[in-house]
Amino acid sequence: MAPTSHSLWSEQGTTPDAVEEALREMLAARHAENGGYVPARVLNMLAFVESEWSGEISNRLRGVERYHASRLILLSHTPGRERLDARATVEAEGDPTPGQLALLRETVVVELGDAHLDDLPTIAAPLLVSDLPTLLWSPHRNGEVVDALLGLAQSVLIDSVDEPECTEALRRACHLVERSYVVDLAWLRSTPWRERIAAAFDPPPMRAELSKITAVEIRHHPQSAIAALLVSGWLASRLHWRGSPLVAHGRGLSGRARSRRGEISLSLSPSPAQQVRGLAGITLHTASGRRIALDRGAGGLRTHRRSPRGDERAWTILGASRGESGILGEGIRQSLLRDPSYQPALRAAWELCA
């Protein structure tokens, strides 16, 4: 990796306009120093965090910044603080030679207190690059803050797993999709699972089996029932099942959905051995006697299939997991795209939970 260089500005008792002016001056100075320096911009990343966690969140974002260029504005809240302080950094990787370019990455950290919470849009707006889309993220579920800043953003990043109750998680997500494009990390963690299920039924001889599904069993991390609900909602929305509220069954949830051909048994159960958030396994049964199972394993997803004749096959799909840094990076990337399947899955999951 090329060595990095950076310019730093900081000021106590400052204003948003002063911060924006300092950024412009630093960018101009770097470009005057070397014409190959150009700002790395595809979006604004606007994050609101509690100050005790700002270091951790900054490190998480720096871990994906290399692949998702943006201007990062971090609003760091400290209860009782009265003064508005800020620091801005313009960082470059290496020195470009003639004919080459080097990206400049911009980071702004604004330290604010309770007295500034009513003025968050006024504080944040001057710091955004006006011709770029803005992604809003509040990793500690500051719902009122998100609502206050939502007018500045085109997308909002959430993680429904962080909500203590599935009903509240789904209600909050449904509220947000009415006002903005939502990127849900709980949904993105299930991407490899949904891809493998879709691939299993993609061959033409297998497509008729979709209408013959009779049972779905989903195993999940004890605190990730919302992930199982979203996958259930995805199946229901894609296959036109009509859902009804699931009921508690032991430590999990169970119930039925209805298709044109009949009823489908749904079972969502926690897997105590699961160490990471998300899904642990999915099993689908069909009326013809076919069974398709996916389970998290070392190195990837373990796939097991049984045919109607009883023939069995098993193999591992390597590299299915991207880790939490990969999930966050994918979330930022998805804010520039549009996934049309999330909102229908969310609505169907709400029907299963309401």
Side-chain angles (χ1 to χ4, degrees), residues 41-46 70-71 128-136 152-155 335-336 338:
R41 292 177 180 170
V42 294
L43 57 82
N44 299 297
M45 180 74 183
L46 176 60
S70 64
R71 174 180 281 191
L128 303 175
V129 182
S130 59
D131 58 348
L132 296 181
T134 296
L135 173 62
L136 173 61
L152 300 177
Q154 287 70 50
S155 305
S335 71
L336 299 172
R338 288 297 184 265

Side-chain angles (χ1 to χ4, degrees), residues 1 5 36 42 45 60 63 66 81 114 120 128 138 186-187 191 210 222 225 230 270 277 288 290 316 323 338 347:
M1 181 183 295
S5 61
V42 294
M45 180 74 183
R60 289 181 65 185
R66 178 179 176 84
R81 169 183 279 274
D114 296 337
L120 288 178
L128 303 175
S138 179
W187 172 252
T191 299
L210 285 169
L230 287 171
R277 294 191 290 183
S288 61
R290 194 177 302 274
T316 298
R338 288 297 184 265
R347 302 292 188 194

Side-chain angles (χ1 to χ4, degrees), residues 219-303:
R219 300 166 292 283
H220 57 85
H221 182 276
Q223 297 178 354
S224 295
I226 184 66
L229 280 166
L230 287 171
V231 171
S232 300
W234 171 69
L235 287 168
S237 64
R238 300 299 292 176
L239 298 175
H240 307 291
W241 297 346
R242 289 177 296 168
S244 55
L246 303 179
V247 297
H249 183 78
R251 293 180 298 171
L253 298 169
S254 65
R256 294 186 178 277
R258 178 171 290 278
S259 69
R260 293 178 181 177
R261 294 178 62 105
E263 291 189 335
I264 301 95
S265 171
L266 301 177
S267 174
L268 283 54
S269 58
S271 179
Q274 175 83 357
Q275 297 297 311
V276 296
R277 294 191 290 183
L279 303 179
I282 300 175
T283 303
L284 303 176
H285 301 267
T286 71
S288 61
R290 194 177 302 274
R291 178 179 179 272
I292 299 173
L294 295 172
D295 289 282
R296 188 185 295 270
L301 294 181
R302 183 68 174 169
T303 303

